[in-house]
Amino acid sequence: MSDSTVQQGALKYEGKAKKMFETQNPDQLLVVYKDDATAFNGEKKGAITGKGKVNAEISARLFQYLESKGVPTHFIEQTAPGHMLVKAVTIVPVEVIIRNVATGSMHKRLGVTEGRVFQQPVLEFCYKNDALGDPLVNDDHVIVMEWATPEQLLTIRQLAKKVNDLLKPLMLKMGLTLVDFKMEFGLYQGQVILADEISPDTCRLWDVTTGRKLDKDRFRQDLGEVEEAYQEVMGRMRKVLAE
Ligand code: TMP
Ligand code: ASP
């Protein structure tokens, strides 16, 4: 970690879970992960002690792992606990969700039995817009709204499936079922790359043996022991992805 070489410039953007700062390099941004937690498009607000550092470390390890397997990501370096240097991308304003097991909004929307394991992953797109409640959209919406070109959309689909194919077995080694997760992609020098974060904030992770939820659903559903769950995921990941 080498924060000394990265100059934290002006705040460029503040989201619900992260702040993005300019750096001396216009192609790079410094992401500072926050402890703040929100749910239901910002309606429920709180904080999870230590979450910023944990999510930055988990995301950094996962981005490095995915890069090593040929997935391009925005990750450059974890410069300090909770701090991550990334490539400055133009975000495609679409949340890309992969589901391996039925739960959450798909269970609510389609009445599908919770816990049903799908025979193939389900890919969904949602328009990133809190005021509209992040509505579900399809490929045609993405193209006519010009959020991505058909070629970029194809790449996003292929990368999303590849990330799932890589993360499912990795999580299994950690004793976790990757139930579903959300990704965001960005455009960098004409290339589609994986951006944002991958952490217990953006994944549903269930303990393989007990079914215990080790993700943000503990906060969303007031299940308690939220900090402990995030720490547990980080501890397991450190063992499986040793430095
Ligand atoms: P959902 O079942 O509520 O649609 O969530 C699907 C997955 O996406 C789940 O792993 C949580 C994640 N997610 C986010 O990361 N951000 C969001 O704003 C939402 C709604 C879900
Ligand atoms: N990230 C969303 C929000 O802040 C929703 C969620 O994660 O449940 O409201």
Side-chain angles (χ1 to χ4, degrees):
M1 295 194 189
S2 55
D3 223 5
S4 54
T5 57
V6 178
Q7 284 164 26
Q8 183 172 323
L11 179 69
K12 187 176 165 70
Y13 172 79
E14 178 160 7
K16 287 175 288 189
K18 293 181 289 291
K19 288 182 183 177
M20 318 274 291
F21 294 91
E22 291 173 353
T23 66
Q24 67 271 35
N25 183 337
D27 291 330
Q28 300 183 352
L29 294 174
L30 183 70
V31 184
V32 178
Y33 284 65
K34 306 197 288 186
D35 286 354
D36 297 348
T38 64
F40 315 116
N41 299 317
E43 265 174 47
K44 182 182 166 98
K45 288 189 174 72
I48 301 171
T49 310
K51 175 171 85 74
K53 287 180 184 162
V54 170
N55 280 0
E57 179 176 334
I58 290 174
S59 290
R61 285 176 185 271
L62 291 178
F63 283 138
Q64 279 173 292
Y65 178 74
L66 292 168
E67 284 273 1
S68 77
K69 302 289 180 187
V71 177
T73 78
H74 71 157
F75 179 78
I76 299 172
E77 192 189 356
Q78 216 199 332
T79 52
H83 290 203
M84 186 186 284
L85 189 65
V86 300
K87 295 171 182 162
V89 301
T90 304
I91 283 283
V92 177
V94 168
E95 299 194 337
V96 181
I97 293 165
I98 291 259
R99 300 180 186 274
N100 297 305
V101 179
T103 190
S105 66
M106 183 162 169
H107 157 70
K108 283 204 198 87
R109 206 171 47 243
L110 303 181
V112 50
T113 310
E114 254 194 308
R116 176 169 152 188
V117 179
F118 299 128
Q119 74 272 32
Q120 62 176 55
V122 176
L123 192 151
E124 292 174 352
F125 296 120
C126 293
Y127 174 39
K128 253 172 81 75
N129 186 318
D130 274 351
L132 297 177
D134 293 348
L136 196 64
V137 294
N138 67 20
D139 290 51
D140 286 345
H141 293 112
V142 175
I143 289 162
V144 300
M145 296 299 286
E146 299 181 358
W147 295 324
T149 65
E151 294 73 28
Q152 288 164 347
L153 190 57
L154 182 64
T155 306
I156 289 172
R157 281 186 164 274
Q158 288 167 341
L159 286 176
K161 292 267 171 68
K162 182 166 178 176
V163 171
N164 187 49
D165 288 344
L166 289 165
L167 292 191
K168 250 173 64 168
L170 182 75
M171 295 296 180
L172 210 53
K173 273 197 205 163
M174 293 164 54
L176 297 169
T177 302
L178 180 60
V179 171
D180 56 29
F181 65 110
K182 186 265 294 184
M183 281 159 280
E184 292 183 27
F185 291 87
L187 304 177
Y188 183 75
Q189 296 173 354
Q191 199 197 359
V192 173
I193 65 176
L194 182 63
D196 194 53
E197 67 176 287
I198 302 183
S199 72
D201 267 12
T202 62
C203 300
R204 285 198 176 95
L205 303 166
W206 294 352
D207 183 88
V208 168
T209 319
T210 63
R212 183 176 160 82
K213 295 176 179 176
L214 292 170
D215 56 58
K216 194 173 159 189
D217 269 353
R218 301 203 73 79
F219 169 78
R220 292 189 188 97
Q221 299 168 10
D222 295 318
L223 299 176
E225 298 181 331
V226 189
E227 287 87 1
E228 292 81 352
Y230 280 63
Q231 294 286 345
E232 175 73 27
V233 173
M234 186 169 69
R236 292 188 195 191
M237 189 167 291
R238 281 179 177 169
K239 282 193 196 134
V240 169
L241 288 180
E243 295 195 53

